[in-house]
Amino acid sequence: TIFGVIIISIPAALSEDSDELGLFNELASDISFAIHDILLQKERKSYEEQVLKSLEEKTVLLQEVHHRVKNNLQIISGLIKMQARSIEDKSARESLLNCENRIMALAMVHEALYRSENISEISARDHFVNLAQTLVDSLSFTEYKDIGFKADVHDINLPISVAIPCSLIINEIISNSIKYAFEGMDSGMISLVFHEKADEYYLEISDNG
């Protein structure tokens, strides 16, 4: 806090002239207001610096939370995959691998949030294309099929409340498509479309199987 003290002596001559005294009082008032404004500006600047520092700390903390959540999900995913290898029952093994794919999709959302400049939103184009391509590459290799992938995804920033359910939907549909849509075929193509229309999101996943 800054304290300012102004001592002003009024000449005797001024006290006899009301006009000069009025000008003197007006000048003193202007000086007082100027000092008050300076103090307010300093306080405002200090407050803004504190708010900015607090915001930076919270941003770093939230990024660390996303990073740790992603790491924990990847550990769980790895444990499930290891367990699936020791299970002989095909149905039970597929159920575990489906669960592992869902966890991987969630981990990729948190990874995207951790790397994003905006810690509450991610790029739909980068995330959805990366997720879909990862699924196609891994599952087509598992199913011994040559599956291609093409995407038409608008560059939209999505909040996490939209990104997570869309990621899970993409995971489920592409997984089922690769497993069941290309029976008797050695190759195929999966397409992903994601647009924003009139404040609504449009998601389309199709295949030629």
Side-chain angles (χ1 to χ4, degrees):
T1 304
I2 301 176
F3 295 93
V5 178
I6 301 177
I7 301 176
I8 302 174
S9 59
I10 303 176
L14 286 179
S15 62
E16 298 175 358
D17 192 326
S18 59
D19 291 339
E20 291 186 3
L21 183 59
L23 291 173
F24 183 83
N25 289 335
E26 184 178 345
L27 177 61
S29 177
D30 290 342
I31 293 174
S32 176
F33 278 120
I35 293 175
H36 182 67
D37 288 342
I38 291 173
L39 294 176
L40 285 178
Q41 290 176 6
K42 288 183 177 294
E43 291 178 359
R44 187 182 300 113
K45 184 177 180 182
S46 176
Y47 176 74
E48 290 174 352
E49 290 175 350
Q50 292 177 4
V51 171
L52 182 59
K53 182 179 179 181
S54 177
L55 180 60
E56 291 175 348
E57 291 174 350
K58 287 179 173 60
T59 299
V60 172
L61 177 62
L62 190 52
Q63 284 180 323
E64 181 63 21
V65 168
H66 286 312
H67 186 59
R68 293 193 178 192
V69 170
K70 182 263 299 182
N71 287 344
N72 289 335
L73 289 173
Q74 286 183 333
I75 291 173
I76 296 172
S77 174
L79 292 173
I80 292 176
K81 188 176 292 185
M82 290 176 58
Q83 184 65 36
R85 292 174 183 172
S86 62
I87 296 178
E88 296 182 358
D89 184 84
K90 183 178 179 180
S91 177
R93 185 169 62 252
E94 286 185 352
S95 296
L96 280 176
L97 291 176
N98 288 337
C99 181
E100 189 269 332
N101 283 336
R102 297 185 187 103
I103 293 174
M104 181 199 70
L106 294 176
M108 292 181 71
V109 171
H110 286 281
E111 173 68 9
L113 287 168
Y114 170 69
R115 297 186 180 279
S116 175
E117 294 182 359
N118 187 335
I119 55 178
S120 63
E121 296 179 335
I122 60 176
S123 167
R125 178 182 295 169
D126 293 341
H127 172 62
F128 289 160
V129 171
N130 185 30
L131 171 61
Q133 188 66 66
T134 300
L135 288 168
V136 170
D137 291 343
S138 62
L139 293 175
S140 60
F141 176 79
T142 303
E143 299 293 327
Y144 303 103
K145 296 181 183 295
D146 181 18
I147 308 299
F149 171 70
K150 61 181 180 180
D152 178 15
V153 181
H154 285 183
D155 193 11
I156 306 167
N157 288 329
L158 291 179
I160 188 172
S161 59
V162 176
I164 286 181
C166 285
S167 298
L168 293 175
I169 291 171
I170 291 172
N171 172 76
E172 295 298 319
I173 296 178
I174 289 182
S175 298
N176 288 335
S177 180
I178 293 176
K179 291 178 181 178
Y180 307 115
F182 304 105
E183 292 184 4
M185 302 171 61
D186 296 327
S187 62
M189 177 66 67
I190 292 177
S191 301
L192 170 65
V193 177
F194 186 83
H195 296 166
E196 185 177 16
K197 295 182 178 180
D199 298 329
E200 293 183 348
Y201 298 112
Y202 174 81
L203 173 62
E204 176 186 306
I205 305 172
S206 59
D207 60 66
N208 64 348

PDB file of all heavy atoms in Angstrom, residues 3-31:
ATOM      1  N   PHE A   3       1.259   5.259   0.641  1.00  0.00           N
ATOM      2  CA  PHE A   3       0.677   6.402   1.327  1.00  0.00           C
ATOM      3  C   PHE A   3       1.338   7.668   0.813  1.00  0.00           C
ATOM      4  O   PHE A   3       2.559   7.726   0.683  1.00  0.00           O
ATOM      5  CB  PHE A   3       0.878   6.300   2.841  1.00  0.00           C
ATOM      6  CG  PHE A   3       0.166   5.138   3.463  1.00  0.00           C
ATOM      7  CD1 PHE A   3       0.810   3.930   3.633  1.00  0.00           C
ATOM      8  CD2 PHE A   3      -1.167   5.256   3.853  1.00  0.00           C
ATOM      9  CE1 PHE A   3       0.155   2.865   4.201  1.00  0.00           C
ATOM     10  CE2 PHE A   3      -1.824   4.187   4.418  1.00  0.00           C
ATOM     11  CZ  PHE A   3      -1.169   2.991   4.592  1.00  0.00           C
ATOM     12  N   GLY A   4       0.547   8.665   0.514  1.00  0.00           N
ATOM     13  CA  GLY A   4       1.098   9.935   0.059  1.00  0.00           C
ATOM     14  C   GLY A   4       0.618  11.061   0.957  1.00  0.00           C
ATOM     15  O   GLY A   4      -0.549  11.135   1.323  1.00  0.00           O
ATOM     16  N   VAL A   5       1.519  11.913   1.333  1.00  0.00           N
ATOM     17  CA  VAL A   5       1.173  13.041   2.204  1.00  0.00           C
ATOM     18  C   VAL A   5       1.583  14.321   1.505  1.00  0.00           C
ATOM     19  O   VAL A   5       2.731  14.460   1.069  1.00  0.00           O
ATOM     20  CB  VAL A   5       1.877  12.948   3.569  1.00  0.00           C
ATOM     21  CG1 VAL A   5       1.523  14.159   4.425  1.00  0.00           C
ATOM     22  CG2 VAL A   5       1.503  11.660   4.269  1.00  0.00           C
ATOM     23  N   ILE A   6       0.638  15.238   1.344  1.00  0.00           N
ATOM     24  CA  ILE A   6       0.916  16.525   0.704  1.00  0.00           C
ATOM     25  C   ILE A   6       0.683  17.632   1.730  1.00  0.00           C
ATOM     26  O   ILE A   6      -0.405  17.739   2.315  1.00  0.00           O
ATOM     27  CB  ILE A   6       0.024  16.755  -0.524  1.00  0.00           C
ATOM     28  CG1 ILE A   6       0.242  15.634  -1.546  1.00  0.00           C
ATOM     29  CG2 ILE A   6       0.299  18.111  -1.166  1.00  0.00           C
ATOM     30  CD1 ILE A   6      -0.662  15.757  -2.742  1.00  0.00           C
ATOM     31  N   ILE A   7       1.711  18.425   1.973  1.00  0.00           N
ATOM     32  CA  ILE A   7       1.601  19.566   2.890  1.00  0.00           C
ATOM     33  C   ILE A   7       1.638  20.827   2.054  1.00  0.00           C
ATOM     34  O   ILE A   7       2.619  21.080   1.328  1.00  0.00           O
ATOM     35  CB  ILE A   7       2.736  19.558   3.924  1.00  0.00           C
ATOM     36  CG1 ILE A   7       2.699  18.253   4.736  1.00  0.00           C
ATOM     37  CG2 ILE A   7       2.637  20.784   4.842  1.00  0.00           C
ATOM     38  CD1 ILE A   7       3.832  18.114   5.699  1.00  0.00           C
ATOM     39  N   ILE A   8       0.588  21.590   2.100  1.00  0.00           N
ATOM     40  CA  ILE A   8       0.480  22.802   1.290  1.00  0.00           C
ATOM     41  C   ILE A   8       0.284  23.991   2.220  1.00  0.00           C
ATOM     42  O   ILE A   8      -0.616  23.982   3.074  1.00  0.00           O
ATOM     43  CB  ILE A   8      -0.708  22.718   0.309  1.00  0.00           C
ATOM     44  CG1 ILE A   8      -0.541  21.497  -0.608  1.00  0.00           C
ATOM     45  CG2 ILE A   8      -0.823  23.993  -0.527  1.00  0.00           C
ATOM     46  CD1 ILE A   8      -1.726  21.272  -1.505  1.00  0.00           C
ATOM     47  N   SER A   9       1.149  24.974   2.054  1.00  0.00           N
ATOM     48  CA  SER A   9       0.989  26.198   2.835  1.00  0.00           C
ATOM     49  C   SER A   9       0.331  27.255   1.962  1.00  0.00           C
ATOM     50  O   SER A   9       0.705  27.430   0.806  1.00  0.00           O
ATOM     51  CB  SER A   9       2.354  26.707   3.337  1.00  0.00           C
ATOM     52  OG  SER A   9       3.211  26.972   2.231  1.00  0.00           O
ATOM     53  N   ILE A  10      -0.656  27.906   2.477  1.00  0.00           N
ATOM     54  CA  ILE A  10      -1.406  28.903   1.725  1.00  0.00           C
ATOM     55  C   ILE A  10      -0.888  30.286   2.106  1.00  0.00           C
ATOM     56  O   ILE A  10      -0.956  30.687   3.269  1.00  0.00           O
ATOM     57  CB  ILE A  10      -2.900  28.812   2.030  1.00  0.00           C
ATOM     58  CG1 ILE A  10      -3.419  27.406   1.720  1.00  0.00           C
ATOM     59  CG2 ILE A  10      -3.690  29.859   1.251  1.00  0.00           C
ATOM     60  CD1 ILE A  10      -4.865  27.209   2.081  1.00  0.00           C
ATOM     61  N   PRO A  11      -0.354  30.998   1.154  1.00  0.00           N
ATOM     62  CA  PRO A  11       0.116  32.346   1.451  1.00  0.00           C
ATOM     63  C   PRO A  11      -1.030  33.213   1.946  1.00  0.00           C
ATOM     64  O   PRO A  11      -2.186  33.043   1.553  1.00  0.00           O
ATOM     65  CB  PRO A  11       0.655  32.842   0.101  1.00  0.00           C
ATOM     66  CG  PRO A  11       0.922  31.591  -0.681  1.00  0.00           C
ATOM     67  CD  PRO A  11      -0.102  30.612  -0.213  1.00  0.00           C
ATOM     68  N   ALA A  12      -0.670  34.150   2.807  1.00  0.00           N
ATOM     69  CA  ALA A  12      -1.702  35.031   3.378  1.00  0.00           C
ATOM     70  C   ALA A  12      -2.367  35.867   2.317  1.00  0.00           C
ATOM     71  O   ALA A  12      -3.561  36.171   2.393  1.00  0.00           O
ATOM     72  CB  ALA A  12      -1.078  35.944   4.446  1.00  0.00           C
ATOM     73  N   ALA A  13      -1.591  36.211   1.297  1.00  0.00           N
ATOM     74  CA  ALA A  13      -2.145  37.046   0.238  1.00  0.00           C
ATOM     75  C   ALA A  13      -3.282  36.355  -0.476  1.00  0.00           C
ATOM     76  O   ALA A  13      -4.250  36.977  -0.899  1.00  0.00           O
ATOM     77  CB  ALA A  13      -1.048  37.438  -0.760  1.00  0.00           C
ATOM     78  N   LEU A  14      -3.176  35.009  -0.626  1.00  0.00           N
ATOM     79  CA  LEU A  14      -4.214  34.270  -1.332  1.00  0.00           C
ATOM     80  C   LEU A  14      -5.524  34.278  -0.560  1.00  0.00           C
ATOM     81  O   LEU A  14      -6.600  34.253  -1.143  1.00  0.00           O
ATOM     82  CB  LEU A  14      -3.774  32.826  -1.586  1.00  0.00           C
ATOM     83  CG  LEU A  14      -2.728  32.604  -2.688  1.00  0.00           C
ATOM     84  CD1 LEU A  14      -2.392  31.129  -2.781  1.00  0.00           C
ATOM     85  CD2 LEU A  14      -3.235  33.131  -4.024  1.00  0.00           C
ATOM     86  N   SER A  15      -5.406  34.259   0.749  1.00  0.00           N
ATOM     87  CA  SER A  15      -6.629  34.195   1.548  1.00  0.00           C
ATOM     88  C   SER A  15      -7.464  35.454   1.400  1.00  0.00           C
ATOM     89  O   SER A  15      -8.648  35.445   1.679  1.00  0.00           O
ATOM     90  CB  SER A  15      -6.290  33.972   3.021  1.00  0.00           C
ATOM     91  OG  SER A  15      -5.525  35.067   3.496  1.00  0.00           O
ATOM     92  N   GLU A  16      -6.836  36.534   0.942  1.00  0.00           N
ATOM     93  CA  GLU A  16      -7.565  37.759   0.757  1.00  0.00           C
ATOM     94  C   GLU A  16      -8.214  37.839  -0.607  1.00  0.00           C
ATOM     95  O   GLU A  16      -9.030  38.703  -0.869  1.00  0.00           O
ATOM     96  CB  GLU A  16      -6.608  38.952   0.956  1.00  0.00           C
ATOM     97  CG  GLU A  16      -6.037  39.001   2.365  1.00  0.00           C
ATOM     98  CD  GLU A  16      -4.997  40.113   2.501  1.00  0.00           C
ATOM     99  OE1 GLU A  16      -4.740  40.776   1.461  1.00  0.00           O
ATOM    100  OE2 GLU A  16      -4.486  40.308   3.606  1.00  0.00           O
ATOM    101  N   ASP A  17      -7.830  36.977  -1.530  1.00  0.00           N
ATOM    102  CA  ASP A  17      -8.364  36.996  -2.897  1.00  0.00           C
ATOM    103  C   ASP A  17      -9.142  35.714  -3.122  1.00  0.00           C
ATOM    104  O   ASP A  17      -8.565  34.637  -3.245  1.00  0.00           O
ATOM    105  CB  ASP A  17      -7.235  37.128  -3.900  1.00  0.00           C
ATOM    106  CG  ASP A  17      -7.775  37.450  -5.295  1.00  0.00           C
ATOM    107  OD1 ASP A  17      -8.866  36.955  -5.620  1.00  0.00           O
ATOM    108  OD2 ASP A  17      -7.089  38.168  -6.049  1.00  0.00           O
ATOM    109  N   SER A  18     -10.451  35.805  -3.153  1.00  0.00           N
ATOM    110  CA  SER A  18     -11.287  34.603  -3.260  1.00  0.00           C
ATOM    111  C   SER A  18     -11.082  33.893  -4.594  1.00  0.00           C
ATOM    112  O   SER A  18     -11.138  32.660  -4.669  1.00  0.00           O
ATOM    113  CB  SER A  18     -12.763  34.969  -3.077  1.00  0.00           C
ATOM    114  OG  SER A  18     -13.158  35.919  -4.065  1.00  0.00           O
ATOM    115  N   ASP A  19     -10.841  34.631  -5.682  1.00  0.00           N
ATOM    116  CA  ASP A  19     -10.642  33.991  -6.993  1.00  0.00           C
ATOM    117  C   ASP A  19      -9.369  33.162  -7.008  1.00  0.00           C
ATOM    118  O   ASP A  19      -9.348  32.020  -7.477  1.00  0.00           O
ATOM    119  CB  ASP A  19     -10.578  35.063  -8.088  1.00  0.00           C
ATOM    120  CG  ASP A  19     -11.930  35.742  -8.299  1.00  0.00           C
ATOM    121  OD1 ASP A  19     -12.942  35.114  -7.914  1.00  0.00           O
ATOM    122  OD2 ASP A  19     -11.957  36.860  -8.833  1.00  0.00           O
ATOM    123  N   GLU A  20      -8.279  33.758  -6.521  1.00  0.00           N
ATOM    124  CA  GLU A  20      -7.011  33.020  -6.487  1.00  0.00           C
ATOM    125  C   GLU A  20      -7.113  31.833  -5.540  1.00  0.00           C
ATOM    126  O   GLU A  20      -6.549  30.764  -5.795  1.00  0.00           O
ATOM    127  CB  GLU A  20      -5.885  33.959  -6.056  1.00  0.00           C
ATOM    128  CG  GLU A  20      -5.555  35.027  -7.091  1.00  0.00           C
ATOM    129  CD  GLU A  20      -4.341  35.852  -6.698  1.00  0.00           C
ATOM    130  OE1 GLU A  20      -3.753  35.526  -5.632  1.00  0.00           O
ATOM    131  OE2 GLU A  20      -3.992  36.777  -7.423  1.00  0.00           O
ATOM    132  N   LEU A  21      -7.812  32.000  -4.448  1.00  0.00           N
ATOM    133  CA  LEU A  21      -7.989  30.885  -3.511  1.00  0.00           C
ATOM    134  C   LEU A  21      -8.792  29.756  -4.144  1.00  0.00           C
ATOM    135  O   LEU A  21      -8.513  28.574  -3.947  1.00  0.00           O
ATOM    136  CB  LEU A  21      -8.684  31.383  -2.247  1.00  0.00           C
ATOM    137  CG  LEU A  21      -8.893  30.344  -1.128  1.00  0.00           C
ATOM    138  CD1 LEU A  21      -7.551  29.783  -0.695  1.00  0.00           C
ATOM    139  CD2 LEU A  21      -9.628  30.963   0.039  1.00  0.00           C
ATOM    140  N   GLY A  22      -9.808  30.118  -4.943  1.00  0.00           N
ATOM    141  CA  GLY A  22     -10.597  29.101  -5.627  1.00  0.00           C
ATOM    142  C   GLY A  22      -9.764  28.320  -6.622  1.00  0.00           C
ATOM    143  O   GLY A  22      -9.866  27.096  -6.721  1.00  0.00           O
ATOM    144  N   LEU A  23      -8.904  29.040  -7.374  1.00  0.00           N
ATOM    145  CA  LEU A  23      -8.007  28.362  -8.316  1.00  0.00           C
ATOM    146  C   LEU A  23      -7.044  27.435  -7.591  1.00  0.00           C
ATOM    147  O   LEU A  23      -6.745  26.321  -8.045  1.00  0.00           O
ATOM    148  CB  LEU A  23      -7.234  29.393  -9.142  1.00  0.00           C
ATOM    149  CG  LEU A  23      -8.043  30.198 -10.147  1.00  0.00           C
ATOM    150  CD1 LEU A  23      -7.180  31.299 -10.772  1.00  0.00           C
ATOM    151  CD2 LEU A  23      -8.592  29.295 -11.234  1.00  0.00           C
ATOM    152  N   PHE A  24      -6.556  27.916  -6.450  1.00  0.00           N
ATOM    153  CA  PHE A  24      -5.620  27.101  -5.665  1.00  0.00           C
ATOM    154  C   PHE A  24      -6.297  25.819  -5.161  1.00  0.00           C
ATOM    155  O   PHE A  24      -5.729  24.733  -5.228  1.00  0.00           O
ATOM    156  CB  PHE A  24      -5.106  27.925  -4.485  1.00  0.00           C
ATOM    157  CG  PHE A  24      -4.094  27.198  -3.652  1.00  0.00           C
ATOM    158  CD1 PHE A  24      -2.755  27.163  -4.014  1.00  0.00           C
ATOM    159  CD2 PHE A  24      -4.489  26.520  -2.509  1.00  0.00           C
ATOM    160  CE1 PHE A  24      -1.834  26.496  -3.249  1.00  0.00           C
ATOM    161  CE2 PHE A  24      -3.572  25.844  -1.740  1.00  0.00           C
ATOM    162  CZ  PHE A  24      -2.231  25.831  -2.109  1.00  0.00           C
ATOM    163  N   ASN A  25      -7.529  25.950  -4.680  1.00  0.00           N
ATOM    164  CA  ASN A  25      -8.265  24.767  -4.205  1.00  0.00           C
ATOM    165  C   ASN A  25      -8.549  23.787  -5.337  1.00  0.00           C
ATOM    166  O   ASN A  25      -8.502  22.571  -5.157  1.00  0.00           O
ATOM    167  CB  ASN A  25      -9.583  25.202  -3.554  1.00  0.00           C
ATOM    168  CG  ASN A  25      -9.368  25.899  -2.233  1.00  0.00           C
ATOM    169  OD1 ASN A  25      -8.351  25.668  -1.572  1.00  0.00           O
ATOM    170  ND2 ASN A  25     -10.303  26.767  -1.833  1.00  0.00           N
ATOM    171  N   GLU A  26      -8.852  24.340  -6.517  1.00  0.00           N
ATOM    172  CA  GLU A  26      -9.107  23.474  -7.678  1.00  0.00           C
ATOM    173  C   GLU A  26      -7.847  22.713  -8.076  1.00  0.00           C
ATOM    174  O   GLU A  26      -7.908  21.524  -8.399  1.00  0.00           O
ATOM    175  CB  GLU A  26      -9.601  24.335  -8.841  1.00  0.00           C
ATOM    176  CG  GLU A  26      -9.986  23.518 -10.075  1.00  0.00           C
ATOM    177  CD  GLU A  26     -10.512  24.397 -11.194  1.00  0.00           C
ATOM    178  OE1 GLU A  26     -10.837  25.564 -10.927  1.00  0.00           O
ATOM    179  OE2 GLU A  26     -10.608  23.883 -12.331  1.00  0.00           O
ATOM    180  N   LEU A  27      -6.699  23.424  -8.038  1.00  0.00           N
ATOM    181  CA  LEU A  27      -5.433  22.771  -8.355  1.00  0.00           C
ATOM    182  C   LEU A  27      -5.111  21.674  -7.347  1.00  0.00           C
ATOM    183  O   LEU A  27      -4.689  20.568  -7.712  1.00  0.00           O
ATOM    184  CB  LEU A  27      -4.312  23.809  -8.380  1.00  0.00           C
ATOM    185  CG  LEU A  27      -2.888  23.284  -8.631  1.00  0.00           C
ATOM    186  CD1 LEU A  27      -2.824  22.591  -9.995  1.00  0.00           C
ATOM    187  CD2 LEU A  27      -1.865  24.410  -8.539  1.00  0.00           C
ATOM    188  N   ALA A  28      -5.331  21.965  -6.092  1.00  0.00           N
ATOM    189  CA  ALA A  28      -5.082  20.964  -5.047  1.00  0.00           C
ATOM    190  C   ALA A  28      -5.992  19.744  -5.232  1.00  0.00           C
ATOM    191  O   ALA A  28      -5.585  18.600  -5.035  1.00  0.00           O
ATOM    192  CB  ALA A  28      -5.293  21.584  -3.668  1.00  0.00           C
ATOM    193  N   SER A  29      -7.237  19.998  -5.622  1.00  0.00           N
ATOM    194  CA  SER A  29      -8.173  18.892  -5.854  1.00  0.00           C
ATOM    195  C   SER A  29      -7.734  18.028  -7.033  1.00  0.00           C
ATOM    196  O   SER A  29      -7.806  16.795  -6.976  1.00  0.00           O
ATOM    197  CB  SER A  29      -9.568  19.457  -6.102  1.00  0.00           C
ATOM    198  OG  SER A  29     -10.483  18.426  -6.396  1.00  0.00           O
ATOM    199  N   ASP A  30      -7.256  18.699  -8.108  1.00  0.00           N
ATOM    200  CA  ASP A  30      -6.769  17.951  -9.270  1.00  0.00           C
ATOM    201  C   ASP A  30      -5.585  17.071  -8.895  1.00  0.00           C
ATOM    202  O   ASP A  30      -5.472  15.917  -9.343  1.00  0.00           O
ATOM    203  CB  ASP A  30      -6.378  18.916 -10.391  1.00  0.00           C
ATOM    204  CG  ASP A  30      -7.588  19.597 -11.010  1.00  0.00           C
ATOM    205  OD1 ASP A  30      -8.707  19.087 -10.813  1.00  0.00           O
ATOM    206  OD2 ASP A  30      -7.405  20.626 -11.687  1.00  0.00           O
ATOM    207  N   ILE A  31      -4.684  17.618  -8.082  1.00  0.00           N
ATOM    208  CA  ILE A  31      -3.514  16.836  -7.654  1.00  0.00           C
ATOM    209  C   ILE A  31      -3.962  15.633  -6.831  1.00  0.00           C
ATOM    210  O   ILE A  31      -3.454  14.517  -6.989  1.00  0.00           O
ATOM    211  CB  ILE A  31      -2.558  17.729  -6.837  1.00  0.00           C
ATOM    212  CG1 ILE A  31      -1.945  18.815  -7.735  1.00  0.00           C
ATOM    213  CG2 ILE A  31      -1.456  16.883  -6.202  1.00  0.00           C
ATOM    214  CD1 ILE A  31      -1.103  19.811  -6.985  1.00  0.00           C
TER     215      ILE A  31
END
